[in-house]
C-alpha cells in the first residue's frame, strides 16, 4: 500500500505481521536487549523491510540504529524512513542522488488521545479540521492530520538535524488524498525549502501518510515534492490492515500508526 503514495523508483517494503523478522546485527540486538518481546518483534520486522529496500537499491544490509532525533541512520548515499504500528510495519528508501527527503507514518484509524489535538494544531488548523469533518465525518481527519505532520517531521529532521514543533508546521489536508505543509523552522536550521507536499490514504484499520522530495542539482530551484513530534506510542509504527485502501475521500469507516 505504501508504494501507492510514492513515485516509481522509491524502494518500498511492508509487512502486516512479524512472521519474517530480520536477524539483527549485534548493535541492533544490544539496542533491543531488555525491551518487551512485542517491541523486539516490531523492530526486527521493520528492519527486515528496510533491508529489502536496501537490496532493491543494490546496497548490502547494515545496522540501522536510531540517531539523536530517533530516525534510523541509513548508509551514506541513501535516504529512507521506517514506520510501524499495530499490525503494520513499513520502510521506504531511495538513493540520495534521486531523492533528498522521505518521510512515512502509519497510525491506527481511531481518534487521537484526549488533549493531543490542542497540542499539535493552531486555531486555524482546528477550524480547517472542523470543516473537513462536517463534510466527511467517516474519515478520522484529526489522526490523518497528526500522521501527516509526523511524516513531514521525518522528512525534515534528517535533512537539517533540527527539532521542529508541531505548531511550527502549518498543514492543510485535501479530501482528494494530498496535503501541503509549510514550516516555520528555527533560525538556526539549515536552509531547506519550507514547503512539503505529501499524500495520504485510509483503510478501515489504518492511516498511511508519505512525503517525498526529489533531489535537485545545485543551482536548480527546489520543486515542491510529492507528497513537531508528539509520540503517541513507540519509536516506530505499525497497524493491522488487510483491507483495500481508499485514497482521500470515500473511506467508508476508518483507518489504523507510530514512528522510526
Amino acid at each position: 500500500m505504501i508504494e501507492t503514495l510514492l513515485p516509481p523508483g522509491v524502494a518500498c517494503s511492508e509487512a502486516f505481521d512479524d512472521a519474517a523478522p530480520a536477524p539483527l546485527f549485534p548493535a541492533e540486538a544490544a539496542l533491543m536487549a531488555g525491551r518487551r518481546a512485542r517491541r523486539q518483534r516490531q523492530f526486527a520486522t521493520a528492519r527486515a523491510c528496510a533491508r529489502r529496500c536496501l537490496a532493491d537499491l543494490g546496497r548490502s544490509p547494515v545496522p540501522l540504529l536510531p540517531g539523536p532525533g530517533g530516525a534510523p541512520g541509513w548508509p551514506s548515499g541513501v535516504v529512507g524512513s521506517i514506520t510501524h504500528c499495530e499490525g503494520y510495519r513499513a520502510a521506504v528508501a531511495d538513493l540520495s542522488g534521486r531523492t533528498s527527503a522521505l518521510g512515512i507514518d502509519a497510525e491506527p484509524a481511531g481518534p487521537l488521545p484526549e488533549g493531543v489535538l490542542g497540542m499539535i494544531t493552531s486555531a486555524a488548523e482546528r477550524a480547517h479540521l472542523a470543516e473537513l469533518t462536517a463534510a466527511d465525518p467517516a474519515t478520522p481527519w484529526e489522526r490523518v492530520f497528526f500522521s501527516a505532520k509526523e511524516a513531514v517531521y521525518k522528512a525534515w529532521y534528517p535533512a537539517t538535524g533540527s527539532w521542529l514543533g508541531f505548531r511550527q508546521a502549518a498543514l492543510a489536508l485535501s479530501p482528494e488524498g494530498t496535503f501541503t505543509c509549510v514550516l516555520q523552522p528555527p533560525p538556526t536550521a539549515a536552509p531547506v525549502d519550507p514547503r512539503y507536499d505529501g499524500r495520504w490514504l485510509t483503510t478501515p484499520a489504518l492511516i498511511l501518510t508519505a512525503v517525498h522530495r526529489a533531489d535537485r542539482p545545485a543551482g536548480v530551484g527546489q520543486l515542491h515534492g510529492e507528497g513537531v513530534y508528539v509520540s503517541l506510542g513507540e519509536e516506530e509504527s505499525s497497524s493491522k490492515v488487510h483491507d483495500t485502501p481508499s485514497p482521500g475521500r470515500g473511506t467508508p469507516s476508518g483507518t489504523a500508526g507510530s514512528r522510526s
Side-chain angles (χ1 to χ4, degrees):
M1 291 190 302
I2 194 68
E3 73 278 0
T4 66
L5 301 181
L6 292 163
V10 175
C12 302
S13 178
E14 60 192 358
F16 300 94
D17 56 37
D18 297 315
L24 297 181
F25 286 91
E28 293 172 328
L31 181 68
M32 288 290 103
R35 303 287 187 94
R36 292 178 297 166
R38 173 176 171 272
R39 178 69 182 98
Q40 292 179 5
R41 291 192 298 269
Q42 289 179 336
F43 182 92
T45 301
R47 264 55 192 176
C49 292
R51 307 221 209 291
R52 286 192 287 271
C53 289
L54 289 173
D56 288 346
L57 297 174
R59 297 301 188 96
S60 300
V62 295
L64 296 175
L65 303 174
W74 294 85
S76 177
V78 174
V79 295
S81 185
I82 297 175
T83 190
H84 71 71
C85 65
E86 187 62 36
Y88 185 79
R89 298 87 172 89
V92 299
D94 199 5
L95 300 178
S96 57
R98 299 189 303 220
T99 293
S100 63
L102 273 173
I104 61 171
D105 188 65
E107 295 289 329
L112 285 173
E114 187 71 26
V116 171
L117 184 63
M119 297 170 58
I120 68 169
T121 57
S122 65
E125 289 173 325
R126 289 191 291 276
H128 170 57
L129 286 169
E131 292 176 358
L132 291 170
T133 301
D136 181 10
T139 296
W141 292 108
E142 294 177 1
R143 198 86 183 214
V144 174
F145 199 89
F146 174 87
S147 182
K149 284 200 174 184
E150 281 283 285
V152 169
Y153 178 83
K154 290 179 174 183
W156 156 268
Y157 186 84
T160 64
S162 297
W163 294 98
L164 189 71
F166 269 104
R167 292 187 180 179
Q168 291 173 284
L171 188 131
L173 293 170
S174 165
E176 305 308 316
T178 63
F179 61 85
T180 298
C181 188
V182 179
L183 306 182
Q184 296 177 322
T188 55
V192 173
D193 184 350
R195 172 171 165 161
Y196 288 82
D197 296 314
R199 301 179 66 193
W200 62 272
L201 66 77
T202 66
T203 76
L206 182 74
I207 295 161
L208 294 180
T209 56
V211 170
H212 171 270
R213 175 173 285 172
D215 200 7
R216 296 284 176 250
V220 176
Q222 173 68 54
L223 299 182
H224 297 140
E226 295 182 7
V228 67
Y229 175 55
V230 172
S231 176
L232 298 188
E234 310 199 37
E235 170 228 347
E236 301 173 352
S237 81
S238 101
S239 148
K240 186 170 185 177
V241 184
H242 297 99
D243 306 285
T244 303
S246 302
R249 185 186 295 276
T251 306
S253 53
T255 38
S258 166
R259 165 185 182 226
S260 171

